[in-house]
Every structure is written in structure tokens, then in C-alpha cells.
């Protein structure tokens, strides 16, 4: 038997924050993806199990012993508008396990049938979007970016109705927790300060155990969440990830990327890039992500106000300072990310202004020349070793590129107290190698993802999905076998590319 050593601390310690609920039975569960490495990390013994039994368990047909499935309540600001009542409409947390590193992880289903929070939704999920979540969440993990993970995708044998009829599926999601900004908003909106406090104490024990029992812990907790989000969004920006639906119910307190609906990766550098069909005004465009994160965190801060100080006006001052501090934190994390991508060592505050200007000029060049974001950075690593051709080929305005490269080269060389012409060959090779660890060769390109999903969903051919997933496990290593996944889409594909919520 696949054994889970379940705990159910959320349901036990926070009764009234969730509803006990069972997953739907499904007609013909078929295991389409099982993440063996993750199963091992979670210390689940899948080895002895036949796939039919695994499919039964991971479809919800046979709830594993010890599981106590719950639908969690939450609210949320969606595109700026507050909804007091959202909650897990089609998801269930089935329990928590302790992983091999002693970390508590939620095991959850997505697409397991309607719950009392489903409103008018069918509670189901389609196979294509669940495979998409598997691909992109696992790619994010391999890129080194905090994220919920995908343990499994099971086709249910049902048909779900979207714009057309589609095969149904249930995804098993693993998360540090499913506590969202919107979870706090739910109780704050009802004026239930006692529940906000209990939720905060539970969350602190789970995510910031160093703060348990400390005076001033709620402010420090807020600071810790702000810090994690600043770090997370800086990492998204470094790989061109666009979340697509940064509503407060899709922002995890743990600092993991959560909710892979309409997300996409940028191809040609465009700060205004946005792919989601419903994001008409570009609220969640690439360049807006830091300020939206800060806006969402302000909603968390508001929810925590009664815990921060006895007098509301004092609480507002503390919360405002904490939220304002996001700017500095984000800027620092973003500079760290960008410096690593440029091949510079560590934090050097004395060079912040110079480096900011260098980065701005580089990004401006990428934008004006409509250069693929991923390839540009990756080929910059080649340029560090003196191989300029691959980079130059990406640019129309090579004179401007050469001008910038001269400044960048001088900045690199100055780190080793050399003039540019002196920088030794071995220092250059080392720099290029280091840069390749911060500049992926492979990201889940939209056209490759769509090809893989179409083959799986329309033709029942899972080969392309499996190959892409395999390739994405090692995004920092160029591999001749997978060159086809490293090529940008045509400009017209990207111009017409559209992603969807409510999948
Ligand atoms: P999302 O856009 O995925 O973040 O979902 C927003 C809200 O809609 C959450 O409360 C979801 O549980 C709910 N939801 C999304 N799709 C469905 C569905 N097919 N059935 C029921 N609830 C859904
Ligand atoms: Mg959501």
C-alpha cells in the first residue's frame, strides 16, 4: 500500500476554518503522471504498488487510511474586487505528512468534485490544465523557485464541460500549506479577530516556528511573509515568469508559487507581457508583479491590524512601515538575482547605482530588439567566455549591444581588480559557468507546453508530455537531445497566445 503517515493538524487545531468533505467517486481512474522523486521525498512507499491501486487512491476513489479530507474556507481580492466567500470549490486537503527533511507538507486534490464552496462550479478539472500545472510547477521547482509541487495526475474517465467537452482529471498537489492571504481576509472581513489570531498562531507555528510565543510575533510574522514574497517575485522576474492571476487567494503565506492557472513564461522581453484572457487591463502583467505583491500584502496587513497593537492608529503605523519596507526588500532581492545573472559576485552596495543603470540599459536593449529573454541571458554567459556570435545574432542593433558589452566586460573585470584585457581565461570560464547556473537554458516555452498538452488531451499520446517534463528537470544544462524545446515560438504564436482561468 502507498502509505501516508497522516497528520491533520489544520482540521484538528482550527475547527470551523474548514469543512470535512469527501472526494467524488470517479468512473475509470488512470494514472497519467506520478512523480516518483517527490513520492520518495515525502517518504511514500509507491514501489510495491500496482498502478490501478495507485490510480484508485490518487483519484479519491479509495481515500488513504488516516486521511481526513477538508475544504478550506478563504476569501480574496480578485482583480482588486473583494469576494468574502471563495474557499476550496474543487480542492480538498486530504492530510499533512512529514517529509524526509522534517517539513510538514499538505497533500491535496484539485478537481475532486464540488464542495460547499463550489458556488456554481462543477468542482472538476480538465486533463490538459492539470498536466499543464504538473509541467510548470515541476519546471519551477527545477529552476530553484519555491513552488507547490505535483505528485500525480489521474485521468478520471469523466468528461468535463468547458468551451468544449474535455477529459477530466484530478491532480495531487503538495504544498508547505494552503494558507493564503485570502484565508486571513475571510475571518478579518467577518470581524472575527479571535479566529484571525488563532489562524496566525497556527500559521506561525507552521511557517515561522522561531516566532512562537514571542512578543510582537504578529508584526514579525507579517515581516516574514513580506520578505518571502519579495524574494519569490524577484525570482519570478529573473526567469520571465508571469503568474497571471495574482489574486490574494492565490498568494501563499509560505512563499511558494501557487495556483498555476493562466501563468506563462515570457519569450521576447516585454515588461507589459500578459497572456491571461481575462486580464484585459494588464493588472497582472510581468512588470506589475512586484507592486501587485505589495498590494496583496497590504490586504494581509489590514487583516492582521487588530493583532499588531491595541490602538488601531498604532497598528496602522506599524503595518504601513512593514508594507513600505517591501520596496527595499524587493529591490535587494531583485538586484541579487540580476547580479547573479550578469555574472557579478554577491552584494556590493557601493555599486548598486552603477549596476541598476547597467541592468536598465541591458533590458532596454532586449526590449527594443525584441530579443528572447531566456536566450539573451544564456548567450551572455557565452559572451563571458569570449564567444559573442550567438548573442550578437539575437540583436538587430549590434552597435548598441557592443557598447553595452564593453561596459559590462569592464564591470566584470573590475571585480577581479583587472582591466578587461587582463582578465584571465580561467576567470572568464569560471564566470561563464557560474552564470549558466543562474540563466536557464530551458524554460517551459508556451508553444512546447501546448504541443504536449494537445497530444495528451486530444490524441491520448503522453510521449511529448513526458519528454518535455524530462527535459525541464535540468533547465540549467544544455542538452542536444532537447534543442527543440529551447527554441522560441514564432512572434505570431506569442502575439496570439492566450491562457485561461477556471480550467
Ligand atoms: P482560481 O481562479 O483557480 O484561483 O479559483 C478561484 C475560486 O474559484 C476558488 O474558490 C476555486 O475553488 C473556485 N473554482 C475554480 N474552478 C472551479 C470549479 N470548476 N468548480 C468549483 N469551484 C471552482
Ligand atoms: Mg486559486
Amino acid at each position: 500500500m502507498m502509505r501516508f503517515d497522516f497528520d491533520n493538524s489544520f482540521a484538528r487545531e482550527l475547527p470551523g476554518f474548514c469543512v470535512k468533505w469527501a472526494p467524488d467517486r470517479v468512473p475509470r481512474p488512470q494514472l497519467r503522471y506520478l512523480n516518483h522523486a517527490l513520492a520518495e521525498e515525502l517518504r511514500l512507499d509507491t514501489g510495491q504498488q500496482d498502478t490501478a491501486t495507485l490510480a484508485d487512491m490518487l483519484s479519491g476513489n479509495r481515500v488513504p487510511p488516516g486521511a481526513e479530507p477538508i475544504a478550506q474556507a478563504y476569501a480574496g481580492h480578485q482583480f482588486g474586487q473583494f469576494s468574502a466567500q471563495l474557499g476550496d470549490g474543487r480542492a480538498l486537503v486530504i492530510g499533512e505528512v512529514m517529509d524526509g527533511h522534517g517539513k510538514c507538507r499538505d497533500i491535496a486534490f484539485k478537481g475532486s468534485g464540488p464542495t460547499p464552496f463550489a458556488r456554481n462550479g462543477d468542482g472538476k478539472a480538465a486533463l490538459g490544465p492539470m498536466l499543464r500545472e504538473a509541467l510548470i510547477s515541476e519546471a519551477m521547482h527545477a529552476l530553484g523557485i519555491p513552488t507547490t509541487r505535483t505528485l500525480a495526475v489521474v485521468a478520471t474517465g469523466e468528461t468535463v464541460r468547458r468551451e468544449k467537452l474535455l477529459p477530466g482529471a484530478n491532480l495531487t498537489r503538495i504544498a508547505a500549506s494552503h494558507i493564503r492571504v485570502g484565508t486571513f481576509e475571510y475571518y478579518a472581513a467577518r470581524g472575527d479577530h479571535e479566529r484571525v489570531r488563532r489562524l496566525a498562531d497556527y500559521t506561525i507555528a507552521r511557517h515561522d516556528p522561531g516566532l512562537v510565543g514571542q512578543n510582537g510575533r504578529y508584526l514579525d510574522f507579517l515581516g516574514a511573509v513580506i520578505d518571502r514574497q519579495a524574494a519569490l517575485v524577484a525570482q519570478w522576474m529573473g526567469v520571465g515568469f508571469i503568474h497571471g492571476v495574482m489574486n490574494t487567494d492565490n498568494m501563499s503565506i509560505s512563499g511558494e508559487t501557487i495556483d498555476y492557472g493562466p501563468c506563462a513564461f515570457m519569450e521576447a522581453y516585454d515588461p507589459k507581457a500578459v497572456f491571461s484572457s481575462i486580464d484585459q487591463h494588464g493588472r497582472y502583467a510581468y512588470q506589475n508583479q512586484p507592486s501587485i505583491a505589495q498590494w496583496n500584502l497590504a490586504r494581509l496587513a489590514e487583516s492582521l491590524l487588530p493583532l499588531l497593537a491595541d490602538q488601531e492608529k498604532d497598528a496602522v503605523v506599524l503595518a504601513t512601515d512593514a508594507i513600505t519596507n517591501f520596496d527595499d526588500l524587493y529591490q535587494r532581492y531583485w538586484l541579487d538575482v540580476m547580479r547573479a545573472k550578469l555574472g557579478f559576485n554577491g552584494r556590493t552596495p557601493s555599486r548598486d547605482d552603477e549596476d541598476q543603470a547597467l541592468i536598465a540599459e541591458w533590458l532596454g536593449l532586449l526590449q527594443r530588439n525584441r530579443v528572447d529573454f531566456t536566450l539573451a541571458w544564456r548567450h551572455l554567459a557565452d559572451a563571458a567566455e569570449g564567444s559573442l556570435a550567438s548573442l550578437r545574432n539575437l540583436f538587430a542593433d549590434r552597435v548598441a549591444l557592443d557598447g553595452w558589452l564593453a561596459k559590462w566586460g569592464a564591470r566584470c573585470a573590475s571585480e577581479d581588480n583587472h582591466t578587461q584585457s587582463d582578465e584571465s581565461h580561467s576567470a572568464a570560464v569560471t564566470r561563464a559557468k557560474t552564470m549558466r547556473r543562474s540563466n536557464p537554458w530551458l524554460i517551459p516555452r508556451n508553444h512546447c507546453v501546448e504541443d504536449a498538452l494537445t497530444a495528451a488531451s486530444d490524441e491520448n499520446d503522453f510521449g511529448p508530455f513526458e519528454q518535455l517534463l524530462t527535459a525541464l528537470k535540468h533547465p540549467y544544462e544544455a542538452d542536444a537531445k532537447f534543442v527543440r524545446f529551447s527554441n522560441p515560438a514564432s512572434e505570431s504564436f506569442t502575439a496570439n497566445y492566450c491562457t485561461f482561468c477556471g480550467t
Side-chain angles (χ1 to χ4, degrees):
M1 275 299 263
M2 178 158 67
R3 275 213 35 234
F4 296 85
D5 240 332
F6 277 119
D7 191 9
N8 304 290
S9 69
F10 190 95
R12 185 177 60 245
E13 293 175 32
L14 298 173
F17 289 71
C18 54
V19 186
K20 288 190 182 166
W21 202 254
D24 273 4
R25 283 196 67 80
V26 303
R28 284 179 308 284
Q30 282 198 306
L31 191 60
R32 291 310 192 190
Y33 169 56
L34 180 62
N35 188 338
H36 292 280
L38 181 57
E40 219 165 272
E41 193 179 314
L42 297 170
R43 302 184 303 173
L44 308 177
D45 181 13
T46 52
Q48 305 303 312
Q49 204 98 84
D50 63 278
T51 50
T53 311
L54 282 171
D56 237 16
M57 293 178 94
L58 295 165
S59 66
N61 274 2
R62 187 197 300 197
V63 175
E68 237 181 68
I70 53 165
Q72 295 182 355
Y74 54 84
H77 277 86
Q78 301 178 305
F79 289 88
Q81 296 300 313
F82 186 61
S83 262
Q85 177 79 38
L86 295 170
D88 289 330
R90 58 166 172 174
L92 295 171
V93 175
I94 66 164
E96 302 140 19
V97 295
M98 202 62 92
D99 71 14
H101 310 290
K103 266 184 57 192
C104 174
R105 316 269 291 266
D106 274 5
I107 303 202
F109 288 153
K110 180 166 172 179
S112 50
T115 74
F117 300 110
R119 293 167 292 157
N120 294 320
D122 61 1
K124 305 288 180 178
L127 178 63
M130 295 307 100
L131 294 175
R132 191 170 192 277
E133 171 155 345
L135 275 174
I136 301 185
S137 63
E138 289 307 302
M140 290 290 270
H141 173 72
L143 286 164
I145 300 177
T147 176
T148 63
R149 305 283 308 275
T150 303
L151 178 65
V153 178
V154 177
T156 57
E158 288 178 326
T159 302
V160 300
R161 182 179 291 278
R162 296 295 180 258
E163 297 94 73
K164 54 179 184 169
L165 295 178
L166 295 168
N170 185 353
L171 177 143
T172 307
R173 176 162 70 189
I174 309 300
S177 84
H178 284 81
I179 303 166
R180 307 144 192 266
V181 169
T183 319
F184 285 89
E185 288 181 287
Y186 185 90
Y187 300 98
R190 287 158 178 76
D192 192 342
H193 303 163
E194 196 38 47
R195 280 217 164 92
V196 174
R197 181 186 303 276
R198 277 165 57 199
L199 178 63
D201 280 328
Y202 174 85
T203 311
I204 287 170
R206 204 153 158 183
H207 295 305
D208 297 288
L211 299 177
V212 170
Q214 302 279 325
N215 283 334
R217 62 184 172 280
Y218 303 116
L219 183 63
D220 290 346
F221 165 63
L222 175 62
V225 179
I226 292 171
D227 188 89
R228 287 195 280 271
Q229 284 300 328
L232 178 66
V233 175
Q235 291 190 72
W236 290 356
M237 300 302 273
V239 295
F241 176 76
I242 304 165
H243 183 284
V245 61
M246 288 178 70
N247 296 334
T248 56
D249 50 307
N250 293 334
M251 183 182 267
S252 171
I253 298 296
S254 72
E256 288 180 339
T257 311
I258 192 170
D259 218 309
Y260 290 92
C263 62
F265 277 76
M266 187 158 68
E267 295 245 317
Y269 180 69
D270 172 11
K272 294 197 163 62
V274 62
F275 294 103
S276 167
S277 61
I278 59 167
D279 195 357
Q280 304 284 335
H281 304 291
R283 178 179 169 93
Y284 298 140
Y286 174 78
Q287 69 179 1
N288 292 350
Q289 298 187 115
S291 57
I292 288 291
Q294 187 180 32
W295 190 91
N296 289 349
L297 291 162
R299 307 290 78 77
L300 175 66
E302 283 166 5
S303 303
L304 295 175
L305 278 181
L307 311 188
L308 299 181
D310 292 337
Q311 299 294 321
E312 196 186 63
K313 66 175 188 345
D314 299 334
V316 169
V317 171
L318 294 170
T320 306
D321 281 353
I323 294 298
T324 308
N325 191 37
F326 176 91
D327 291 324
D328 285 347
L329 288 169
Y330 173 74
Q331 198 55 33
R332 196 149 8 107
Y333 284 121
W334 180 80
L335 255 185
D336 288 348
V337 167
M338 289 292 151
R339 279 199 178 113
K341 290 176 80 69
L342 286 165
F344 304 161
N345 298 322
R347 281 185 181 163
T348 36
S350 62
R351 309 197 86 158
D352 283 2
D353 292 344
E354 176 194 350
D355 288 349
Q356 299 260 23
L358 198 63
I359 296 162
E361 189 180 339
W362 164 248
L363 294 176
L365 279 174
L366 299 191
Q367 189 177 359
R368 278 195 303 285
N369 289 268
R370 296 197 203 170
V371 178
D372 184 82
F373 188 67
T374 307
L375 289 184
W377 285 106
R378 185 71 181 188
H379 290 326
L380 189 62
D382 303 335
E385 296 180 304
S387 315
L388 287 161
S390 59
L391 182 65
R392 296 189 86 230
N393 283 339
L394 299 174
F395 285 78
D397 183 354
R398 293 180 187 160
V399 175
L401 173 66
D402 289 343
W404 182 85
L405 283 172
K407 289 184 219 171
W408 170 71
R411 169 73 176 83
C412 288
S414 73
E415 289 207 322
D416 313 326
N417 292 323
H418 287 144
T419 61
Q420 195 174 353
S421 53
D422 286 348
E423 195 182 37
S424 70
H425 181 63
S426 79
V429 171
T430 306
R431 188 183 308 281
K433 242 189 179 158
T434 313
M435 286 174 72
R436 289 189 188 105
R437 289 202 287 269
S438 297
N439 292 307
W441 179 71
L442 207 63
I443 50 153
R445 290 190 182 272
N446 304 318
H447 64 292
C448 302
V449 170
E450 292 309 319
D451 286 350
L453 300 187
T454 305
S457 194
D458 295 359
E459 291 145 41
N460 212 28
D461 173 8
F462 287 78
F465 166 79
E466 279 155 22
Q467 285 153 26
L468 182 56
L469 194 69
T470 304
L472 289 167
K473 281 190 184 142
H474 302 287
Y476 295 102
E477 288 159 37
D479 184 337
K481 280 201 299 298
F482 298 127
V483 167
R484 65 187 183 287
F485 297 137
S486 72
N487 297 320
S490 66
E491 270 196 43
S492 69
F493 176 92
T494 301
N496 294 311
Y497 189 56
C498 195
T499 58
F500 301 93
C501 295
T503 51

